Amino acid sequence: ATVAKHTAHSCFYFAAFHETKKFAPKGTSRFQQICWDLLSGFVAGCAAATANNPFDVVKTRQQVVAASALSSHAAGQEFACGPTSVASVAMELVRRDGWAGLYKGYIAKVARLGPGSALIFCTYEQVMSLFH
């Protein structure tokens, strides 16, 4: 689940950034470039969060099941007899909570990744522009 999570994240993250930047008008001012970098980074973060959240939820559930071996882990005990493979965990989540179950924690993730990615990409683009 971890490999799938990071693969989905990276694919959507960079693709969304570059595709959004294509909408930026040519010959813009530095301020407009910064605005486009911030917007493109925000879109990239939201796209990455949307793509990787189901894998993140499955990964977290797998970790909780693994922790069920510890008698002191209360949350682990609830899922002690749960499935362990990526596919079976995902199917159990959908059966139990519907498709929305794969998007638990989504709002918090977007609230962090959207603005964070906007700042990361904008900073990167502005620093790189100093070398051109």
Side-chain angles (χ1 to χ4, degrees):
T2 301
V3 171
K5 171 188 181 271
H6 289 293
T7 300
H9 177 90
S10 294
C11 289
F12 280 82
Y13 192 61
F14 294 107
F17 178 76
H18 290 289
E19 290 302 312
T20 305
K21 288 275 289 190
K22 288 180 182 178
F23 291 102
K26 302 294 180 221
T28 58
S29 69
R30 185 163 182 94
F31 176 75
Q32 289 172 320
Q33 288 173 350
I34 290 171
C35 290
W36 273 101
D37 291 341
L38 287 168
L39 174 65
S40 299
F42 184 83
V43 169
C46 292
T50 302
N52 83 18
N53 205 83
F55 299 108
D56 199 20
V57 171
V58 168
K59 176 189 68 76
T60 301
R61 185 61 55 91
Q62 286 177 312
Q63 290 171 331
V64 170
V65 168
S68 68
L70 302 171
S71 60
S72 61
H73 197 285
Q77 298 309 309
E78 179 183 349
F79 301 105
C81 298
T84 57
S85 74
V86 172
S88 59
V89 171
M91 289 188 306
E92 177 62 21
L93 272 165
V94 171
R95 185 193 66 72
R96 185 174 169 175
D97 301 327
W99 289 100
L102 295 173
Y103 282 90
K104 289 182 177 184
Y106 178 73
I107 299 297
K109 181 174 273 195
V110 168
R112 177 179 58 85
L113 279 178
S117 298
L119 293 174
I120 288 167
F121 273 116
C122 183
T123 301
Y124 173 80
E125 291 290 313
Q126 293 308 307
V127 169
M128 291 307 293
S129 72
L130 299 173
F131 298 104
H132 290 254

